[in-house]
Amino acid sequence: MTALAVRLRFARTGYGKVGLAGSLLLLALIAVGPLLAPYDPSAIAGLPLQHASRQFPLGTDGLGRDVLSRVLWGGRSIVGLSVLATSLAYAAGASIGLLAGYTKSILDPLLMRAMDVLLAVPPLLFLLVLATGAGRSIPVLVLGVATVHVPSIARIVRASTQEVATHGYVEAAVARGERLPALLGREILPNVLGTVLADAGIRLTASILILASVNFLGLGLQPPAADWALMISENRGGIALNSLAVAAPALLIAFLTISVNLVADAVARSLGTSTDRKRVAR
Amino acid sequence: MNEHALAVDDLRIELVSGEPVVEDVSFRVGHGEVLGLVGESGSGKTTTALALLGYARPGVRIANGTIDVAGTRISGLSEAQVRRYRGRLISYVPQDPAAALNPSVRVGDQVGNMLERSSEKEAHVDDAFELVQLPTARDFRRRFPHQLSGGQQQRVAIAAALVCKPAVVLMDEPTTGLDVVTQANLLAQVRRLQRELGFAIVYVSHDLAVVASIADRIVVMYAGRVVEDGPAARVLSEPQHPYSLGLIASVPDPREPRVLRSIPGVAVGVGERPPGCPFAPRCPQRIAACEESDPRLERTGGDRLVRCLEWRRTPTLAPEWRAPSGALPSRPASLLAVEELRAEHRGRGDAVVACSGVSFAIAQGECVALVGESGSGKTTIARCVAGLHAPARGRVLLDGAALAPLAAGRTPDARRRIQIVFQNPYDSLNPRHRVAQSIARPAQALRGYSRKAAEHAVADLLERVRLPARLATRFPGELSGGERQRVAVARALAADPDLIVCDEITSALDVSVQAAVLELLADLRAELGLALLLITHDLGVVSSVADRVLVLDQGVVCEQGAVRSLLASPEHAYTQRLVAAAPTLSVR
Ligand code: SF4
C-alpha cells in the first residue's frame, strides 16, 4: 500500500467523505472567494441594510457594504488564525507533554504544575486580560488562543508518553543510546499521535469558537476587517432588516466546525493500530 | 450410567462466512479419564473447547455435530438451556483466573454463586475450598481476588468449577503464568482430586510437557482437525502422525538435553487451508496423493487413531543428544563479567532489593543462562547488563573494562557490542515503523552506516533470521509472534554484537515456534560466534541451548555450573525443587 493510500484511508468512511467534501468546499470558498467578490469588502457599495437583491445577493450591512463580498473575504482570518493557533498549541503541548512524561526528572512536576495553573484560568477571562495587557494585535490573539489549549494537550501527551515509554522498543532505543530528540520523535511521538490527534477536531472547533467569541466581543480583529465572527457582531443590530448579514456568516461557522470535526474523527481513527484501521476501512 | 463422560461427534464450527474453523472432530472421554487436547495457536483447540460449553465466539457458529455430556445432549440447545447444564454437567477452569474472577465479589461468594439453592451453600463452599486446599476460614472467603496469589486465584477458580460436582471439567491452559513449582503443585492436586472424585477432565494446552504429566489420553489437533488420538504414553513415545512427531521433537526437556528440531514452515491459518492434507506443505513424508484427498481419521490398531495416509512411514522418535559444549577452559578470557552486582527498585517508600552479590562471566561465544521464577531478579540483572537499570552496587565489565551503569553513559562501541531482545514480541517493535526501519536503525546509529547501506543490510539480516525479504515493508501488526521475535533478533544482529541478552524471548511463543527460535539462536552462535545471556524460567530451554547456568532464588545465586551436570544432580534444595517441578515428556 502506498503512503498516499495510507494517508487517505480515512476518506473511505462515510463520515470521513462527507466531512472531507464539506471542508474542501469551504476551503475552496475561502481560497477563491476574494476573487469572486463583486465588491471591495470594505467599500461602501450602496444604501445600508438593504434586502437581498440582484445587485446585492445577500443585501448590505449597516454601513452599506456588500454582505456577499464580506462573506467571501471573511473566512480567511478565522480559519487561518484558528488553524495557526491550534497547530501552535499542539506543537507546544506535545513538546511539554513528551518532556514531562519521559524525563522522570524535576522537569515533570515543574512543567505540569505550571500547566495546572494555566488550566485553572477560564479561557475567555485569560484572553480578555491578555488583550488588555498586551494589546489587541493578531500575534497576541493567536498566542493567547494557543495557550488556552496547551495544558490539556500536554496532560494527554504526558499520560500516553508514560505508557508508551515502558514498551520494549523504547527500551531498545535507550539501550542503543539514542538521544532524547530521536527517542521522543522517532519512538514515542508516532505512538502517542493517534491519542493526541483524536481530539484535534474538537480543539480546532474550539479555537474557531474562541476566536469568534473574542472577535464578537471586539477584543480580537478590529473593524473594518471582514471576518465572519466580527460580521455577526456588527450586523446583529440590523438583524430585523437584513437577517442574512448575520445568518450567512453564522451558518458558515457552523458548517465549518461540523466538517472539520468529521474529518478529524476519521483521521484519528485511521491513525490507530492496524485493527482500528481495518475497522475504519469497513 | 452412560458409557462416556463426554462424546463429541462430527463437530464442525465455521465462521459466519462458511469457512471452517474446526471440522470433522470426534472424540470420546471416559468417566474419570483425563484427555489432553493439544494444539498450537490456530489449531482450533480453544474453539473446540468452548463449543463443549455450548459457546461460540462472536462471528463463529457451531454448524454441525453433536456433543453429549454424561448422556445428555447439550449441542443444539439454546443459550438459556445450555446455561442450566454449565457448572453441573460440565464446568470450566479458564486460562487466566485473574481475568475470570470478578474483582469486586468476595471469593467465597464467587464459588457460592455457582450453587442455586441457598440451604447448605456455606457447607458446600467449605467443602470445595477444602478440596482445593484453600483455607476454609471465614476470613479467607471474605477476601477479594486481588488479595490472593496467582496460585490461590486458580484454586478458587477450580473450587468454583468443582462445587457442583460436574461430570466433566474443562481446563483451558490453567497453569499459564504460574511459576513451575506452583504449576507442578496445582497439577498434582488436580490429578489427586480427579482420582478422588472421579470426574473427567479435558485439559486444553499447547504445552505437551504439561499435558504429558496429567493426561491419560491425548488428542492432537492441527488446522481444525484431530490428527492423532491415543493413549498418552504411546502417543508421546511413538507418535504416528508426522505433526505429532514434530511437536514432540520441539519440546525442550530438562531431563534430556537433546537437539531441538522445529517443524519447517508455519501453521496454516483459518481460510488458507490447502486442499488435501492440511499438513502437506510442511510434511517430510508427503506423497502425491496427500495433496488430493483429505485423509480420514483411521484406526491404526490398539486404541489409536491417526489422520495420515503415510503414517506407517512416520519415523520413530530418535532424540539427538546435545554434544557437551565445547572446551570452555581454552577460552578463559571473559567477554563480559558481572561483579558483585546489587540492584534495587525504588518505589515510593523503601528500595526493594532485586538481586545482590551476583557475579558471573561469559566467554566469547558462550551461552550462559540465568534461571529463576518470577521475582527472582533475573530480568533486573539482564537490564543492568544492557544499561537499562543502574546497579546499586557492583560492576559490569566488558573485556575487562568497567562499563558505565546506564547505556547513555557507555561508549557507542560498548552499546553496539551488547544487544538485548525482550520478552514480549508484541511490544518489542515500534508499531509505527516498518520492519526495515526497525532493523536498519541500529546499523545507522551504532555502526555509522548510511541510510542506504543500512537498508541494504536489511535483506541480509532478514535472511540470517530465516525470514523472507518481502517482510521488510511490513508493519509489526502484520506479523505473527514468532516472526516479530525473529525481527527483534535481526535488529540486535544489525549492530554486529558480541553478546545478545535474551530476556525470556520465547516464553510468549508456541512450542514449535519456540523450537525454531532456539534453533536460530544455536545456529547464530555457530555462524557468528555470538555469546548469549539467556534469561528464562524454563529449564527445558536451558538444557537445549545453554552451556552454563546460574540458578537465582530471590535475587541470590544459589547454584551454578555446567548445564548437564547441574540438571542431572542439582545440589541446592531450591534447584532440586525446580528440577523436580519442571514438566517433562518422560512419562510419569
Ligand atoms: S497425509 Fe501425507 S501430507 Fe498429510 S501428514 Fe500424512 S504423509 Fe504428511
Side-chain angles (χ1 to χ4, degrees):
Chain A
M1 196 175 292
T2 65
L4 186 69
V6 173
R7 285 200 191 108
L8 289 183
R9 209 188 268 124
F10 74 89
R12 279 194 223 145
T13 55
Y15 285 134
K17 277 185 195 140
V18 171
L20 191 65
S23 309
L24 287 178
L25 199 73
L26 267 175
L27 277 182
L29 181 81
I30 291 162
V32 300
L35 303 175
L36 303 177
Y39 300 93
D40 180 336
S42 38
I44 294 172
L47 294 173
L49 293 173
Q50 291 186 51
H51 283 295
S53 65
R54 205 79 5 115
Q55 199 188 356
F56 303 111
L58 295 178
T60 57
D61 69 2
L63 292 175
R65 296 171 297 195
D66 177 37
V67 172
L68 177 66
S69 300
R70 289 181 70 73
V71 164
L72 287 173
W73 277 91
R76 293 197 156 182
S77 45
I78 191 154
V79 172
L81 296 184
S82 44
V83 167
L84 189 64
T86 315
S87 320
L88 273 178
Y90 271 103
S95 313
I96 294 176
L98 282 169
L99 271 178
Y102 183 74
T103 62
K104 289 156 205 131
S105 62
I106 181 79
L107 214 54
D108 179 20
L110 276 183
L111 285 172
M112 293 327 285
R113 291 301 82 75
M115 294 296 108
D116 289 348
V117 171
L118 265 182
L119 210 54
V121 184
L124 271 180
L125 186 65
F126 171 75
L127 285 170
L128 294 185
V129 172
L130 191 70
T132 321
R136 301 171 181 185
S137 69
I138 289 181
V140 171
L141 187 62
V142 170
L143 281 180
V145 174
T147 312
V148 168
H149 289 301
V150 168
S152 50
I153 296 176
R155 279 183 148 190
I156 297 172
V157 174
R158 173 174 172 270
S160 36
T161 300
Q162 285 177 332
E163 194 268 324
V164 169
T166 61
H167 285 293
Y169 51 87
V170 179
E171 302 232 285
V174 174
R176 217 164 40 227
E178 299 274 8
R179 293 183 193 290
L180 194 60
L183 269 176
L184 296 181
R186 273 180 56 96
E187 308 294 338
I188 297 183
L189 183 61
N191 290 293
V192 301
L193 220 51
T195 324
V196 175
L197 290 186
D199 56 2
I202 303 170
R203 285 192 198 287
L204 186 54
T205 326
S207 297
I208 295 172
L209 294 178
I210 296 175
L211 268 170
S213 328
V214 175
N215 287 347
F216 176 84
L217 292 174
L219 292 163
L221 291 172
Q222 294 304 310
D227 174 89
W228 291 343
L230 209 52
M231 286 176 72
I232 300 175
S233 111
E234 286 167 356
N235 298 333
R236 78 200 133 116
I239 195 163
L241 290 170
N242 183 10
S243 51
L244 279 177
V246 173
L251 281 176
L252 282 168
I253 292 181
F255 191 55
L256 175 68
T257 50
I258 292 171
S259 312
V260 165
N261 251 330
L262 290 178
V263 173
D265 269 8
V267 171
R269 255 177 286 152
S270 74
L271 279 174
T273 57
S274 53
T275 44
D276 293 346
R277 281 200 213 116
K278 272 181 213 141
R279 222 182 301 133
V280 170
R282 243 173 237 151
Chain B
M1 208 178 198
N2 200 272
E3 189 186 350
H4 297 292
L6 173 69
V8 177
D9 273 297
D10 211 12
L11 186 67
R12 179 185 169 92
I13 303 171
E14 50 187 36
L15 299 181
V16 274
S17 60
E19 202 76 65
V21 180
V22 164
E23 54 187 319
D24 190 15
V25 166
S26 308
F27 57 84
R28 305 254 174 289
V29 186
H31 288 285
E33 189 176 45
V34 181
L35 177 88
L37 189 59
V38 180
E40 297 185 282
S41 335
S43 63
K45 63 176 192 304
T46 306
T47 310
T48 305
L50 291 177
L52 301 184
L53 297 168
Y55 178 77
R57 270 178 290 207
V60 167
R61 62 192 178 89
I62 301 174
N64 189 22
T66 57
I67 298 166
D68 299 88
V69 181
T72 309
R73 177 142 305 178
I74 62 161
S75 51
L77 298 182
S78 71
E79 170 65 24
Q81 288 168 309
V82 170
R83 203 173 301 139
R84 278 191 303 151
Y85 294 123
R86 262 182 228 155
R88 11 204 103 245
L89 277 181
I90 183 161
S91 65
Y92 182 55
V93 179
Q95 184 166 36
D96 181 1
L101 296 177
N102 185 336
S104 57
V105 176
R106 297 177 195 281
V107 292
D109 294 340
Q110 310 225 11
V111 175
N113 288 345
M114 301 295 294
L115 296 159
E116 267 170 21
R117 269 172 300 117
S118 54
S119 65
E120 298 171 43
K121 207 178 204 175
E122 290 271 302
H124 282 297
V125 173
D126 251 11
D127 287 348
F129 269 57
E130 209 177 300
L131 273 180
V132 295
Q133 297 178 346
L134 281 173
T136 45
R138 228 185 116 66
D139 169 53
F140 184 83
R141 277 185 310 185
R142 289 181 55 77
R143 289 200 198 163
F144 289 100
H146 69 267
Q147 294 167 311
L148 272 49
S149 72
Q152 286 175 327
Q153 289 177 352
Q154 195 53 280
R155 275 163 209 228
V156 171
I158 293 175
L162 293 183
V163 72
C164 298
K165 310 218 173 354
V168 180
V169 178
L170 179 62
M171 300 190 165
D172 184 7
E173 312 236 21
T175 63
T176 321
L178 298 182
D179 281 327
V180 262
V181 175
T182 320
Q183 163 174 297
N185 288 341
L186 196 81
L187 287 174
Q189 198 164 35
V190 165
R191 191 72 205 178
R192 177 182 58 76
L193 281 173
Q194 184 264 338
R195 288 219 182 93
E196 280 171 17
L197 304 177
F199 54 87
I201 298 180
V202 176
Y203 193 99
V204 182
S205 178
H206 74 285
D207 191 337
L208 261 179
V210 169
V211 170
S213 69
I214 189 166
D216 300 312
R217 198 175 174 81
I218 289 182
V219 166
V220 181
M221 288 189 71
Y222 183 77
R225 289 159 233 226
V226 172
V227 294
E228 181 155 5
D229 180 344
R234 305 222 10 235
V235 171
L236 291 172
S237 58
E238 34 186 287
Q240 289 177 333
H241 195 281
Y243 175 68
S244 317
L245 179 77
L247 209 52
I248 293 169
S250 301
V251 179
D253 193 323
R255 312 269 160 81
E256 306 175 348
R258 49 193 172 80
V259 179
L260 294 187
R261 285 278 163 251
S262 63
I263 310 172
V266 289
V268 290
V270 175
E272 46 191 53
R273 291 177 188 159
C277 173
F279 190 59
R282 308 172 72 184
C283 182
Q285 61 206 59
R286 139 188 93 231
I287 54 171
C290 298
E291 282 159 31
E292 281 151 26
S293 65
D294 192 356
R296 308 194 59 80
L297 198 60
E298 261 182 76
R299 200 161 284 282
T300 61
D303 195 12
R304 305 187 63 175
L305 297 161
V306 64
R307 187 190 294 272
C308 174
L309 298 176
E310 289 290 295
W311 63 270
R312 282 186 186 80
R313 279 175 47 220
T314 304
T316 46
L317 201 57
E320 267 172 83
W321 305 108
R322 268 188 76 202
S325 48
L328 290 177
S330 71
R331 296 179 295 195
S334 70
L335 173 71
L336 182 98
V338 169
E339 287 177 356
E340 290 297 320
L341 193 74
R342 177 189 172 92
E344 296 167 355
H345 290 291
R346 283 182 192 285
R348 288 265 157 103
D350 301 335
V352 180
V353 180
C355 64
S356 73
V358 174
S359 304
F360 60 94
I362 304 178
Q364 201 92 45
E366 191 188 21
C367 177
V368 172
L370 286 180
V371 181
E373 308 199 276
S374 45
S376 63
K378 58 189 192 300
T379 291
T380 309
I381 298 174
R383 293 170 58 83
C384 289
V385 171
L388 291 169
H389 188 107
R393 209 179 300 145
R395 306 188 292 172
V396 177
L397 300 99
L398 187 66
D399 275 344
L403 291 175
L406 288 177
R410 296 182 181 175
T411 63
D413 193 54
R415 289 196 300 252
R416 176 187 67 73
R417 295 175 63 192
I418 301 177
Q419 291 291 308
I420 181 164
V421 178
F422 297 96
Q423 169 173 21
N424 185 345
Y426 296 94
D427 85 9
S428 66
L429 299 175
N430 191 324
R432 300 277 176 222
H433 292 174
R434 289 175 197 281
V435 165
Q437 255 178 305
S438 289
I439 298 180
R441 185 64 192 166
Q444 283 173 270
L446 299 172
R447 289 165 81 189
Y449 276 36
S450 69
R451 176 180 283 243
K452 260 240 162 89
E455 268 162 26
H456 231 76
V458 168
D460 287 344
L461 288 162
L462 282 175
E463 202 186 315
R464 268 255 130 82
V465 297
R466 321 306 185 239
L467 284 177
R470 65 189 153 78
L471 293 195
T473 56
R474 304 273 177 87
F475 285 101
E478 302 167 74
L479 307 182
S480 70
E483 286 170 336
R484 290 181 205 211
Q485 218 46 323
R486 278 162 196 264
V487 171
V489 172
R491 178 178 62 189
L493 291 178
D496 188 22
D498 293 331
L499 170 77
I500 300 186
V501 180
C502 303
D503 185 6
E504 294 265 21
I505 67 171
T506 59
S507 65
L509 305 176
D510 268 336
V511 259
S512 73
V513 182
Q514 158 170 297
V517 171
L518 294 178
E519 222 176 8
L520 173 71
L521 288 181
D523 291 352
L524 291 174
R525 276 181 70 197
E527 287 165 27
L528 307 171
L530 276 177
L532 298 177
L533 175 58
L534 201 70
I535 312 297
T536 182
H537 68 282
D538 187 339
L539 286 176
V541 169
V542 171
S543 82
S544 53
V545 267
D547 302 317
R548 274 194 307 128
V549 55
L550 281 82
V551 182
L552 279 168
D553 181 19
Q554 291 173 15
V556 181
V557 177
C558 64
E559 186 166 358
Q560 58 177 308
V563 165
R564 193 164 280 207
S565 56
L566 187 137
L567 291 184
S569 49
E571 267 159 28
H572 193 276
Y574 179 73
T575 321
Q576 286 168 354
R577 254 192 296 145
L578 266 192
V579 173
T584 165
L585 286 185
S586 355
V587 182
R588 75 197 128 85

